[in-house]
Amino acid sequence: MKLWKKNGPQMVATSGDGADSKRKDSKPNAGRQQRKTISLRSLPLEAHWHVLELQKKKKPTFASKMSFRSLHKSPTKIAKSDTFRTIFQGVRDPEELKQVQSLRDLLASTGQLPEKHDDYHTLLRFLRMRDFDLAKASTMFVNMLKWREDNKVDVIAREFEFEEYDAVQRCYPRGYHGVDNVGRPLYIERIGSIDFDTLLTVTTVDRFVKHHIVEQEKTLNLRYPACSLAAKRHIASITAILDVEGLGVKNFSKPAREIFTEIQKIDSNYYPETLNQLYIINAGPGFKALWKILSAFLEPRTLSKVQVLGTSFISKLSEAVDLSNIPEFFGGKCKCVEYGGCLRKDKGPWTDPEIKSKLLEVFYKAQNLGDEPTDENIFKELSKSQVTSDGRPLSNSLATTPKTKNYIGIDSLEQYMGTASVAKHLAQKISELEEWLVGTNEILQTLFTKQHQLADNIEELKNLTEQLRVSDA
C-alpha cells in the first residue's frame, strides 16, 4: 500500500485486485512506541474508554453486532453501577477536568455561561478545537451562543419540518446508516451523486442548512445517548464515509459551494470535535486535483482526520465498520430491504424500538408519548427537557424561559434512571396484582357455582335415598 500526503489527510492508494496490501514500516515497533506516548488530547473524545480497555487487555467488542436484548436488564441496577456513570459521562482525564473548570470559571466570570450550556462535554469540545487555549476557546464558545440566539437554533430544532426529505434524498443521497465497530453513528454521503440542479428545485439553500442544524442537534441529543446505551460505552463522535465516485468540477457550482461553505462553517464553529474519522472512498486517479478544491472547505483539524482510499477500499473500511453496516453498493452486506434501499431512512440504535423505549423511560418516563413514538417525537421531547447535560435541574427562573426549554444532554440520564425505573416497576407490579385479582375472582365465582351444583346434587341424592327407603318398606 502506497501512502502519500496532501494538505493534511493520509492518502491510501490501493491496488486494483480488490484487496488492500499491508502497510510496510521500516520500524515495526515505531507505531507501538508512539501509541504509548501519544497525548490523549489528540485522540477522539471517547479515547479514555479505549485506553482503559487496552490497559485491561480485553478483547474489543464490536458494538455493530451487539444485541439490544441485553438492555432489558434492570435499569435501576445499571444506574447504581459505575459502568452506567461511565457510559454517559465518559472516563474523564484529570488534566482535562482542570482545563474545563478553568474555562467554566472564565465564562462564568463574564456572565457568558448559560446554565443549559454549562456542560463538561460541550466545554471540552471547544477546548479541544482550540488546542486548549482558554482565551480562544472562550471566544469560540461565546460566538456559538450568539449564533444560536441570532439564528433561533432552539426554535429550529423544536419546530422545523423538512417535508421534502424524500425528494432531497433522491438527488442528494446521504444520512446516518448504523454504527462503526466502536458504536459511533456512521454517516454516509455520496457527494459524487449529487444533482444540484434538481436539489434546488425541491428545496432551498436556507431550508437545507436548517435541516442540517436539526440533524446536528439530533446527533448530540438523541444519537449519542442511544449509541452510548447500545454500546455500553461513552459515545461522543461520528465516523463518516464520503463517496467521491463521479465527483467532478461540475459538483462545485456556486450553489454547491454556498452549501458546502455554510455547512462546514456551522460544523467547525458551532459543533466542533464531532468527527472521529472521515473515509473518502472511490478516489480515482484524478482525485488529487479535485482534492485541492474539496480540502478548501475543511478545517485543519478535520483534515487530520481524513483518510483517502482508492477504489478497492472495502478491506480497509471493514476494519472500522462491520460489513453488516456497510451498504451493498459499497461491497458490504446491508441492503435495507425494508426501506427500499440504503440511505432511504435514518438507521441506527436511535431508531430501535428497545433503545427508544429505554431512553423514554430514562429521560421522561414516557408520559408524553404513545407506545410507538416516532424518532421525531422523541427528539422533540428530549429537546424540551429542562436539565443541563451534567444532570442538574435548571433554576426556576431559567426553566420558565424559552431559551432553556429545549436542551438536554446525555449526562442527565443518570438523574432520571432510578426514579423512572422504580415507577415503571411499581406500575408493572400493580398491573400484575390487578390481573391476579381478576383471576382470583373468576376462580371464586367458579367455586361458588360448583358449590351450588354440589348442594343440588346432594339434595337430589337425599330425595332418591328417601324414595328407595319408602319403596323397600
Side-chain angles (χ1 to χ4, degrees):
M1 180 185 296
K2 298 179 181 179
L3 300 178
W4 53 279
K5 291 196 174 222
K6 182 69 174 177
N7 293 338
Q10 183 186 57
M11 309 292 186
V12 182
T14 54
S15 59
D17 58 5
D20 295 328
S21 58
K22 294 183 178 180
R23 178 180 179 181
K24 295 182 179 179
D25 197 328
S26 57
K27 297 181 180 180
N29 296 323
R32 186 178 304 171
Q33 294 172 353
Q34 184 179 9
R35 283 194 294 272
K36 290 182 179 179
T37 59
I38 192 169
S39 170
L40 287 175
R41 292 181 182 181
S42 63
L43 298 175
L45 286 170
E46 311 96 338
H48 303 305
W49 254 109
H50 315 320
V51 171
L52 288 180
E53 287 177 349
L54 290 174
Q55 289 173 347
K56 294 179 181 179
K57 297 183 179 180
K58 289 184 177 180
K59 183 179 180 180
T61 57
F62 293 100
S64 58
K65 293 183 177 180
M66 280 185 176
S67 169
F68 298 143
R69 295 293 177 187
S70 60
L71 293 171
H72 284 300
K73 294 181 179 179
S74 170
T76 303
K77 182 178 180 181
I78 298 174
K80 293 180 180 180
S81 68
D82 292 335
T83 301
F84 177 85
R85 182 182 297 275
T86 305
I87 286 174
F88 292 103
Q89 293 187 350
V91 179
R92 300 178 179 181
D93 176 61
E95 182 60 30
E96 290 181 348
L97 274 170
K98 294 179 182 178
Q99 295 285 350
V100 168
Q101 188 57 48
S102 297
L103 178 58
R104 178 178 280 136
D105 293 340
L106 177 61
L107 291 167
S109 67
T110 56
Q112 295 174 316
L113 184 60
E115 192 170 359
K116 68 174 182 177
H117 291 298
D118 183 4
D119 164 55
Y120 174 85
H121 294 290
T122 300
L123 296 175
L124 181 58
R125 291 180 190 279
F126 284 86
L127 280 167
R128 287 171 64 94
M129 190 64 179
R130 290 296 178 256
D131 295 322
F132 287 82
D133 185 307
L134 284 177
K136 292 181 179 179
S138 174
T139 300
M140 185 181 184
F141 185 85
V142 172
N143 289 339
M144 178 272 293
L145 295 179
K146 186 176 186 305
W147 171 77
R148 293 184 70 92
E149 182 177 2
D150 292 346
N151 292 274
K152 297 180 174 57
V153 172
D154 294 343
V155 176
I156 292 174
R158 188 170 59 247
E159 300 178 359
F160 182 75
E161 300 289 345
F162 199 56
E163 296 89 352
E164 62 267 38
Y165 176 83
D166 290 336
V168 168
Q169 285 298 103
R170 287 191 288 271
C171 53
Y172 193 160
R174 81 276 182 267
Y176 287 87
H177 189 271
V179 295
D180 68 6
N181 284 341
V182 172
R184 303 182 188 93
L186 176 65
Y187 178 78
I188 299 175
E189 183 168 317
R190 307 191 73 178
I191 189 173
S193 301
I194 301 176
D195 182 352
F196 274 103
D197 291 337
T198 303
L199 177 66
L200 295 178
T201 64
V202 297
T203 191
T204 64
V205 172
D206 179 67
R207 286 185 59 80
F208 188 87
V209 170
K210 285 182 178 178
H211 173 63
H212 180 74
I213 292 173
V214 171
E215 288 297 300
Q216 286 286 44
E217 293 288 305
K218 185 176 180 179
T219 296
L220 291 176
N221 298 326
L222 177 60
R223 292 190 178 101
Y224 288 158
C227 288
S228 297
L229 195 57
K232 297 182 181 179
R233 66 175 70 198
H234 178 62
I235 299 298
S237 62
I238 71 169
T239 292
I241 299 174
L242 188 65
D243 179 19
V244 297
E245 183 177 13
L247 184 67
V249 177
K250 59 180 176 59
N251 295 95
F252 297 99
S253 60
K254 183 178 179 180
R257 294 196 303 272
E258 183 179 352
I259 289 177
F260 292 152
T261 301
E262 186 62 22
I263 286 178
Q264 179 56 32
K265 174 185 175 183
I266 289 172
D267 291 351
S268 299
N269 294 330
Y270 313 127
Y271 300 97
E273 290 293 292
T274 55
L275 177 67
N276 168 65
Q277 187 76 34
L278 172 61
Y279 294 95
I280 297 181
I281 62 174
N282 282 319
F287 180 73
K288 286 186 179 181
L290 292 173
W291 175 247
K292 293 181 180 179
I293 303 175
L294 186 61
S295 62
F297 297 99
L298 304 178
E299 285 280 337
R301 281 188 65 85
T302 302
L303 289 173
S304 67
K305 300 174 182 179
V306 174
Q307 187 169 22
V308 180
L309 308 180
T311 54
S312 299
F313 54 82
I314 192 63
S315 176
K316 184 68 177 178
L317 189 61
S318 61
E319 294 176 6
V321 183
D322 189 76
L323 291 174
S324 63
N325 280 318
I326 299 177
E328 187 179 41
F329 50 72
F330 286 157
K333 296 181 179 180
C334 185
K335 298 180 181 179
C336 285
V337 177
E338 66 275 26
Y339 300 136
C342 297
L343 298 185
R344 296 291 181 89
K345 294 291 183 181
D346 199 12
K347 174 186 176 182
W350 54 92
T351 65
D352 184 272
E354 295 177 20
I355 298 291
K356 290 192 293 186
S357 175
K358 195 62 62 176
L359 286 177
L360 289 173
E361 174 188 345
V362 169
F363 278 110
Y364 50 92
K365 308 176 188 178
Q367 291 179 345
N368 298 324
L369 299 180
D371 293 335
E372 293 295 333
T374 64
D375 297 336
E376 290 75 13
N377 284 339
I378 291 178
F379 171 54
K380 288 179 180 178
E381 287 299 319
L382 295 182
S383 295
K384 295 177 183 177
S385 174
Q386 298 177 358
V387 295
T388 69
S389 62
D390 275 333
R392 304 188 309 278
L394 294 171
S395 62
N396 292 335
S397 60
L398 285 173
T400 56
T401 64
K403 291 183 180 180
T404 60
K405 192 177 180 180
N406 69 322
Y407 181 79
I408 194 164
I410 60 178
D411 291 349
S412 58
L413 286 169
E414 182 179 17
Q415 179 181 7
Y416 285 98
M417 178 62 87
T419 56
S421 59
V422 169
K424 183 176 181 179
H425 179 71
L426 290 175
Q428 290 175 341
K429 289 301 181 184
I430 292 173
S431 178
E432 291 175 2
L433 290 173
E434 289 176 341
E435 291 178 0
W436 291 340
L437 180 60
V438 171
T440 302
N441 288 334
E442 292 177 351
I443 293 173
L444 289 174
Q445 186 64 38
T446 301
L447 289 175
F448 288 143
T449 302
K450 295 296 184 182
Q451 184 181 32
H452 288 303
Q453 292 176 352
L454 182 59
D456 292 340
N457 291 336
I458 292 174
E459 188 63 32
E460 290 179 1
L461 287 173
K462 287 182 178 179
N463 292 336
L464 181 59
T465 301
E466 181 63 24
Q467 290 176 6
L468 290 174
R469 187 184 65 80
V470 172
S471 176
D472 290 342

